[in-house]
Amino acid sequence: MEDNIILIGFMGSGKTTVGRELSQILNLPFIDTDLLIEEREGMMIRDIFRQKGEKYFRDLERKAVADVLIRKGQIISTGGGAVMNSELFSLMKDSGRVVALMANVDTLWKRLKKDKDRPLLMVDNPKGEIESLYLKRRPVYLKAHHIIWVDNKNPGAIAREILEKALPIDQLKQE
Ligand code: S3P
């Protein structure tokens, strides 16, 4: 396959789980850019935020995503804020099929309320923070090539839906 499949979407939308599923079905390499950043820095994302700040993280994120996009034929899962860099979002759209995993705020809150690894949600009112970030980001996610609503669906069903929408039929037959 020539293109990349790039998963975008809010924290908790299932990008990593669905990305792994897709990579197994298609037998293509899976890259999670947050994991790549952690490997490069030798530090967890929450510690990068805590010790060096969000701007430092965003610079690492821009570099990691741009580096990964140079190669093709990969399933790539990106951090939920990566698309807010418009140049990076354009690069993603040029390098393959960008698929947004969309969930409503109630689903996201259910999945994120016990989370201790998302530095942006380590605030007094995490649900309010989710709502306000979601309002800002939703219009950007909706500019993806394909939109998949994930509420009440399991990762296997979501992966199959992505294959139906994002891969041309003749490419599927070649697999
Ligand atoms: C972030 C999402 C996280 C991670 C970082 C910032 C964001 O990734 O990149 O905590 O800005 O939404 P996930 O979307 O994989 O949780």
Side-chain angles (χ1 to χ4, degrees), residues 34-96:
D34 278 341
L35 288 180
L36 177 62
I37 293 167
E38 290 185 333
E39 266 168 38
R40 284 182 171 182
E41 285 295 285
M43 228 191 259
M44 305 271 290
I45 302 268
R46 58 161 193 255
D47 296 323
I48 301 175
F49 267 74
R50 202 181 294 148
Q51 292 177 27
K52 309 210 166 162
E54 180 169 354
K55 172 156 189 330
Y56 182 87
F57 169 78
R58 295 298 172 199
D59 288 344
L60 294 175
E61 181 174 58
R62 183 176 30 78
K63 174 107 184 48
V65 175
D67 287 349
V68 166
L69 293 176
I70 292 169
R71 293 185 299 274
K72 297 287 177 279
Q74 316 163 98
I75 312 297
I76 301 165
S77 132
T78 57
V83 293
M84 300 311 283
N85 177 326
S86 54
E87 278 175 31
L88 204 50
F89 191 28
S90 297
L91 267 186
M92 291 181 203
K93 290 186 83 171
D94 288 344
S95 105

Side-chain angles (χ1 to χ4, degrees), residues 11-167:
M11 296 172 260
S13 59
K15 299 173 297 253
T16 303
T17 314
V18 171
R20 287 215 169 94
E21 187 89 25
L22 273 177
S23 120
Q24 277 176 6
I25 299 174
L26 293 171
N27 197 21
L28 290 174
F30 171 65
I31 321 276
D32 179 321
T33 57
D34 278 341
L35 288 180
L36 177 62
I37 293 167
E38 290 185 333
E39 266 168 38
R40 284 182 171 182
E41 285 295 285
M43 228 191 259
M44 305 271 290
I45 302 268
R46 58 161 193 255
D47 296 323
I48 301 175
F49 267 74
R50 202 181 294 148
Q51 292 177 27
K52 309 210 166 162
E54 180 169 354
K55 172 156 189 330
Y56 182 87
F57 169 78
R58 295 298 172 199
D59 288 344
L60 294 175
E61 181 174 58
R62 183 176 30 78
K63 174 107 184 48
V65 175
D67 287 349
V68 166
L69 293 176
I70 292 169
R71 293 185 299 274
K72 297 287 177 279
Q74 316 163 98
I75 312 297
I76 301 165
S77 132
T78 57
V83 293
M84 300 311 283
N85 177 326
S86 54
E87 278 175 31
L88 204 50
F89 191 28
S90 297
L91 267 186
M92 291 181 203
K93 290 186 83 171
D94 288 344
S95 105
R97 309 308 300 165
V98 177
V99 179
L101 301 187
M102 297 298 294
N104 66 42
V105 170
D106 286 341
T107 304
L108 295 171
W109 175 238
K110 254 185 242 152
R111 294 182 185 179
L112 292 168
K113 63 182 166 193
K114 297 212 175 92
D115 191 276
K116 295 277 170 278
D117 286 326
R118 273 32 183 242
L120 292 177
L121 304 182
M122 298 297 110
V123 293
D124 289 343
N125 177 8
K127 188 159 189 220
E129 188 62 23
I130 290 174
E131 282 162 353
S132 96
L133 279 175
Y134 186 83
L135 273 183
K136 278 188 230 146
R137 292 176 175 185
R138 184 186 147 102
V140 181
Y141 296 141
L142 293 178
K143 290 185 184 146
H145 294 123
H146 307 284
I147 314 290
I148 310 278
W149 286 90
V150 302
D151 305 282
N152 303 316
K153 293 180 190 159
N154 64 47
I158 297 165
R160 281 194 297 280
E161 205 175 318
I162 293 174
L163 294 178
E164 278 161 27
K165 288 197 175 162
L167 276 190

